[in-house]
Amino acid sequence: MTPQTDPTCDLDLLRSLNMDTGHCAVVGLQWGDEGKGKVVDLLAMRFDVTARYNGGANAGHSVQVGDKRYALHLIPSGILSDKAINVLGNGVVIDPAQLVKEMTGLRAEGVTIGDNLKISDRAHLVFEYHKVQDVLYDQALAKAMGGDAAIGTTGRGIGPCYADKALRSMAIRVGDLLDESALHDKLKRVIAVKNTVLAALAKHCDQPFRPFDVDAVLKDTVGYAKVLRPHICDSAHLLHTSMDAGKRLLFEGANATLLDIDHGTYPFVTSSNCSSLGVHTGTGVPGHKVTNVLGIVKAYQTRVGGGPMPTELHDATADRIREVGKEYGTTTGRPRRVGWLDLVALKYTATLSGATGIALMLMDVLSGLPELKLCTGYEHNGQKLTNFPADAGVLNSLTPVYESVPGFDESIDECKRFSDLPDNALAYIKKIEKFVGVPVSLVSVGPRRDQTVLRDV
Ligand code: IMP
């Protein structure tokens, strides 16, 4: 198995992060792919329970442990720690085929999965028909309104599954895997409706469509249920009894705050509350219990899929950052859009998520750039905006206002403490802290666990 010692450095990680007491959440503060996986992996070995509260297989964590890289989509990164119990909370939408595949793959790599994985009986299930619906909806919208209307989803069925959750009678939950006959009845009812809707949508999009066969879907699902059944539980109860027993909990967000369905760049968002606000509904743990929120922030900005991105670059700097930062989606392989760090957006998301500290990721990628820019304001129709606008049209048409700072040439990938960082890198970090009003408590300078710089100045 993976080395479970912490080779990070000789400073105490939790003390440096101000996280040595209480329950904690780790949440992305941009459009996802900030590097949450690495941070959760570092933290998980210091917590008793790691719980995911939102999203599904649209998320992708890649975690590097030693020379091995693990791609995780549904299972919390804490699974790579020998110690943590890993919970998929009620707010997660679970594709059983993907989950079983991920479990099998991890087991083949020597990762132990047994009593350390718990799945909420209240979580909702993603079926193949959700994925078909996801892709057809995006195509139909693009066809009806032009390419700009498409959200560019990951095609993992996330939106349609959450929509069925809200529709209630169309939904199937993890708990339904425990009763084959009730599952059969539900599938019969739901698939009849889905086949009707999807056939019409497919026709509209000039796509072929083969209706789903209830017995075939049931057979596959019963197979997945056999594997998943030992892990199904009342996860809110488990989390509360764990807290009562003095265990420490770590909540792991998927996707990120600018993709939050209520607070993100709507409608170009995902379908769950990915900000730390989702912890409470997505696990059943109330707000006052989570005293620390570590916001994960890339040292620049990236986005995949459609939607506004005020600081997006279309130049050689973007190409360089994309190549050095390996900015291609873990889930879809799509090249990510790249831009300068947007401090206006960051202040907004840090405030919403109640960030008590920032982990600044991929800082090493900026090494060698002669000049670094930070977006410190927006102008729209000649007016300076004072807050982050709700309207995607406004976000698309505003002009970012930048402050420039000199770049750093030094390679920083073996730095261990803040005092090892070049002055210009420290000046960049100070600007972020001053604007956002939240301390940067960790800087990541490479994918390995030990490429983590802790605060000593
Ligand atoms: P969905 O979550 O598949 O419905 O996709 C909605 C939007 O969120 C699309 O633009 C996706 O590219 C984006 N998205 C969803 N999950 C992630 C993520 O984990 N990282 C980055 N973008 C994501």
Side-chain angles (χ1 to χ4, degrees), residues 31-33 58-60 151-155 158 255 259 269-270 304-306 334:
W31 279 290
D33 312 309
N58 53 347
I151 290 169
T153 72
T154 58
I158 307 300
N255 327 118
L259 292 170
V269 293
T270 188
V304 276
R334 290 181 285 182

Side-chain angles (χ1 to χ4, degrees), residues 315-359:
D315 59 7
T317 303
D319 294 340
R320 184 186 180 283
I321 291 176
R322 187 176 302 106
E323 290 318 309
V324 178
K326 301 189 184 65
E327 293 295 355
Y328 296 87
T330 321
T331 301
T332 58
R334 290 181 285 182
R336 297 181 183 137
R337 298 156 66 192
V338 172
W340 293 120
L341 184 59
D342 186 338
L343 292 181
V344 183
L346 182 56
K347 192 174 170 116
Y348 169 69
T349 55
T351 307
L352 272 173
S353 269
T356 49
I358 286 175

Side-chain angles (χ1 to χ4, degrees), residues 40-288:
V40 177
D41 169 58
L42 272 176
L43 291 176
M45 66 181 86
R46 295 166 164 88
F47 283 79
D48 303 297
V49 181
T50 302
R52 245 188 86 173
Y53 57 88
N54 77 298
N58 53 347
H61 286 328
S62 30
V63 181
Q64 178 127 357
V65 184
D67 291 336
K68 269 195 171 171
R69 210 173 173 84
Y70 299 88
L72 302 170
H73 295 282
L74 272 163
I75 299 180
S77 323
I79 203 77
L80 302 176
S81 151
D82 283 340
K83 200 176 146 215
I85 299 287
N86 296 274
V87 175
L88 291 173
N90 57 279
V92 179
V93 288
I94 296 173
D95 176 347
Q98 170 67 37
L99 180 54
V100 169
K101 186 170 156 210
E102 212 167 304
M103 289 165 71
T104 310
L106 286 171
R107 281 178 173 143
E109 299 272 5
V111 177
T112 308
I113 303 179
D115 264 359
N116 57 349
L117 179 66
K118 303 286 180 192
I119 307 168
S120 168
D121 52 5
R122 292 179 171 88
H124 284 248
L125 288 173
V126 179
F127 286 89
E128 208 52 42
Y129 53 74
H130 287 125
K131 297 184 217 166
V132 172
Q133 188 176 345
D134 201 1
V135 174
L136 286 176
Y137 262 137
D138 239 21
Q139 282 183 7
L141 273 171
K143 186 174 164 180
M145 299 167 71
D148 285 353
I151 290 169
T153 72
T154 58
R156 297 295 193 265
I158 307 300
C161 182
Y162 279 114
D164 284 349
K165 174 178 178 177
L167 279 174
R168 293 148 296 164
S169 48
M170 290 296 284
I172 301 182
R173 304 202 294 181
V174 167
D176 294 322
L177 297 177
L178 300 172
D179 180 344
E180 189 176 327
S181 124
L183 177 67
H184 190 200
D185 289 347
K186 284 195 180 178
L187 279 173
K188 245 199 287 190
R189 185 175 70 208
V190 169
I191 287 179
V193 179
K194 287 288 174 193
N195 277 342
T196 313
V197 173
L198 295 181
L201 255 181
K203 192 166 172 221
H204 176 75
C205 297
D206 301 319
Q207 295 289 333
F209 174 67
R210 236 191 42 230
F212 287 91
D213 175 69
V214 178
D215 290 333
V217 176
L218 180 70
K219 185 167 171 260
D220 287 347
T221 312
V222 167
Y224 304 135
K226 278 206 185 91
V227 182
L228 300 180
R229 205 167 287 143
H231 305 278
I232 299 174
C233 70
D234 177 345
S235 62
H237 179 73
L238 173 96
L239 294 175
H240 281 277
T241 46
S242 301
M243 286 188 289
D244 290 346
K247 309 275 187 207
R248 294 196 66 203
L249 273 47
L250 179 69
F251 297 94
E252 173 178 350
N255 327 118
T257 306
L258 287 173
L259 292 170
D260 185 286
I261 182 135
D262 283 288
H263 300 284
T265 49
Y266 196 87
F268 299 96
V269 293
T270 188
S271 305
S272 63
N273 287 116
C274 358
S275 63
S276 67
L277 301 168
V279 167
H280 318 301
T281 52
T283 61
V285 173
H288 67 277

